[in-house]
Amino acid sequence: MIDLAHSLTPSDLAPKLERFWGASGSKIRAVEDAYDPSQGAPVFTVEGRYTSRGWTEWTQGFQFGSALLQFDATDDESFLDLGRRRTVERMAPHVSHMGVHDHGFNNVSTYGALRRLMNEGRVLEDEGQRHFYEMALKVSGAVQASRWTDLGDGEGYVYSFNGPHSLFSDTIRSMRALALAHSLGHTLGGENDVHHSLLGRLLAHARATARYNVYYGEGRDGYDVRGRVVHESIFNLNDGNYRCPSTQQGYSPFTTWTRGLAWVICGYPEELEFLATLPDDDLEPFGGRDEIEAMMLRTARAACDFYIEHTPTDGVPYWDTGAPNLHELGDYLDRPADPFNDWEPVDSSAAAIAAQGLLRFGRVLEARGDDGSRYAQAGLRVMDTLLGEPYLSTDPDHQGLVLHSVYHWPNRWDHVPDGQKVACGEATMWGDYHAREAALYVQRLAEGNDYTFF
């Protein structure tokens, strides 16, 4: 399990953060200068160069959002200019994209970040720009909410790119798009001018994910371990009944793909932060604050505890907690992860996503008067690891920032270097982006504040 026998503070990581942002800026420029946009969005590196991999265009917002995070952390306005120009030039197709569950990734990371920076006074107030960002966010939230599977009685979920039968754990973080659009007063217009509440769909999706994709050690099946997360749940669309767990990128439906786990760890604390800004009357039609927050707190705590207990001591997980060759590594949870082992890849991108979630959950609990130190310390331990070798890439010839990230190991999409037996040494666009998000969050904590997507 993650080593919690320490008392790290955000300020302790300041020297590593300075080095991180120095490396980060050069990587952003290297991708901008060398990448051919006609290939589609950059996805992952192969031999140190970003390349694409067709599935869905879900990483473009991470590319340009990274430049905005770089500006936020360093005040280097060249990155603000880059992120803003590319958002205007290239992100419009993502706003109206009907075919993906990734609006919270693409559009909140770009239009949402630009609006946040304006709200914070980091960039000058401009009425035209503000309206532009907010219109994009309204449309994005409504388009995302339109991918709706109705389970009856007010329940349902935003379905994945696999189709209406498919509920992904990843999508809990795309609920940021619905949250922002709701906060801007928007709804989803339907047939006969019926207007659907975006907050209602966000909360229904959160309930479905918590109920079907997260386990609580209550004997649901033979592999019901508290906090375990399944990548995907499958439903019978003829009657709306849940049928079975599934996975697209994990080892099996009965093991935990750690990036799916990380999305849950990150998504629920963020939504709890958002709910805290809403009046009770907004939540009353959907079960009331106490019931909604209790559901999210239970889910976040279970997933965070599972991550802490099923991850090596340095906070970086292997790609799946049930990967078939983990037994060859012996007591792998009692020592730091080994990205160069011969048996199973680690996934630093899962660590980067989870780190932010652990830190935010600690803060959520603290704000409620509870003890969140276990989760805060776990998040800082993960970040302490990612901000140094062998994960932080300072090689100017490598375009990736955080190494040892994997995309789809079952399909063998990930590059295996010469002399190695499993994927290692490469980066992913979402891993680099989420490491930047988490690093900015730690930096803000060290300065005595934080930031939220809204």
Side-chain angles (χ1 to χ4, degrees), residues 127-340:
E127 184 178 18
Q129 287 186 33
R130 176 177 289 278
H131 288 168
F132 173 68
Y133 304 146
E134 292 185 349
M135 179 61 74
L137 291 166
K138 288 175 182 179
V139 174
S140 176
V143 169
Q144 185 71 112
S146 71
R147 294 180 61 80
W148 189 247
T149 293
D150 190 348
L151 298 178
D153 297 323
E155 300 304 313
Y157 57 87
V158 172
Y159 58 84
S160 84
F161 66 71
N162 278 339
H165 62 287
S166 169
L167 167 60
F168 268 18
S169 288
D170 316 34
T171 312
I172 189 62
R173 205 167 192 235
S174 264
M175 294 302 100
R176 303 197 303 168
L178 277 66
L180 279 173
H182 170 80
S183 70
L184 293 169
H186 203 53
T187 61
L188 170 63
E191 300 295 334
N192 299 304
D193 283 339
V194 172
H195 284 267
H196 304 282
S197 167
L198 298 178
L199 177 62
R201 291 205 167 178
L202 182 164
L203 296 174
H205 181 93
R207 282 194 298 271
T209 303
R211 178 180 179 185
Y212 298 110
N213 288 29
V214 183
Y215 292 74
Y216 301 96
E218 296 174 343
R220 177 172 155 189
D221 60 29
Y223 302 94
D224 185 352
V225 177
R226 178 177 173 271
R228 192 178 82 75
V229 169
V230 66
H231 183 194
E232 180 183 32
S233 287
I234 302 297
F235 292 81
N236 181 338
L237 298 184
N238 291 327
D239 56 17
N241 281 326
Y242 168 81
R243 297 310 304 158
C244 62
S246 183
T247 187
Q248 298 298 306
Q249 288 162 271
Y251 174 61
S252 86
F254 301 102
T255 63
T256 293
W257 176 54
T258 51
R259 193 157 77 248
L261 170 66
W263 291 129
V264 168
I265 290 170
C266 192
Y268 281 95
E270 280 192 317
E271 295 306 334
L272 282 162
E273 292 171 337
F274 171 68
L275 294 183
T277 69
L278 300 180
D280 290 347
D281 288 349
D282 280 12
L283 300 176
E284 199 59 37
F286 310 109
R289 181 178 301 279
D290 289 347
E291 178 183 317
I292 293 165
E293 290 187 347
M295 173 269 294
M296 291 194 180
L297 286 164
R298 178 183 186 234
T299 303
R301 190 184 296 273
C304 287
D305 286 345
F306 184 90
Y307 187 89
I308 291 170
E309 293 159 10
H310 293 83
T311 296
T313 57
D314 61 355
V316 178
Y318 290 87
W319 70 281
D320 192 294
T321 62
N325 292 312
L326 283 177
H327 68 280
E328 299 284 359
L329 298 174
D331 294 329
Y332 63 93
L333 294 180
D334 292 336
R335 61 179 184 269
D338 176 11
F340 303 105

Side-chain angles (χ1 to χ4, degrees), residues 260-448:
L261 170 66
W263 291 129
V264 168
I265 290 170
C266 192
Y268 281 95
E270 280 192 317
E271 295 306 334
L272 282 162
E273 292 171 337
F274 171 68
L275 294 183
T277 69
L278 300 180
D280 290 347
D281 288 349
D282 280 12
L283 300 176
E284 199 59 37
F286 310 109
R289 181 178 301 279
D290 289 347
E291 178 183 317
I292 293 165
E293 290 187 347
M295 173 269 294
M296 291 194 180
L297 286 164
R298 178 183 186 234
T299 303
R301 190 184 296 273
C304 287
D305 286 345
F306 184 90
Y307 187 89
I308 291 170
E309 293 159 10
H310 293 83
T311 296
T313 57
D314 61 355
V316 178
Y318 290 87
W319 70 281
D320 192 294
T321 62
N325 292 312
L326 283 177
H327 68 280
E328 299 284 359
L329 298 174
D331 294 329
Y332 63 93
L333 294 180
D334 292 336
R335 61 179 184 269
D338 176 11
F340 303 105
N341 78 86
D342 288 341
W343 299 102
E344 298 289 356
V346 304
D347 188 2
S348 63
S349 72
I353 297 161
Q356 183 181 175
L358 289 162
L359 289 164
R360 289 190 182 278
F361 189 51
R363 292 274 285 183
V364 165
L365 293 176
E366 179 184 342
R368 300 174 65 88
D370 297 330
D371 183 8
S373 59
R374 168 180 169 87
Y375 306 105
Q377 285 300 311
L380 289 171
R381 180 72 179 98
V382 177
M383 288 305 297
D384 190 44
T385 298
L386 294 180
L387 293 172
E389 284 79 7
Y391 295 98
L392 179 63
S393 171
T394 57
D395 179 355
D397 293 327
H398 199 300
Q399 293 177 351
L401 179 61
V402 178
L403 305 178
H404 314 304
S405 176
V406 295
Y407 186 11
H408 201 316
W409 186 236
N411 276 359
R412 294 303 191 266
W413 286 355
D414 301 277
H415 178 65
V416 180
D418 291 341
Q420 299 293 142
K421 295 183 179 180
V422 301
C424 63
E426 303 294 351
T428 59
M429 189 55 65
W430 61 91
D432 288 357
Y433 172 85
H434 284 89
R436 292 180 176 108
E437 265 198 351
L440 178 61
Y441 188 70
V442 173
Q443 181 168 311
R444 291 285 192 96
L445 292 177
E447 295 167 351

Side-chain angles (χ1 to χ4, degrees), residues 59-94:
T59 59
Q60 191 88 81
F62 297 148
Q63 180 185 5
F64 307 137
S66 286
L68 299 174
L69 293 173
Q70 185 75 20
F71 162 74
D72 198 339
T74 67
D75 290 322
D76 185 334
E77 293 198 0
S78 68
F79 291 104
L80 172 63
D81 178 64
L82 172 61
R84 187 160 48 195
R85 280 190 294 107
R86 294 300 187 228
T87 297
V88 172
E89 293 168 357
R90 300 186 190 170
M91 291 305 297
H94 299 286

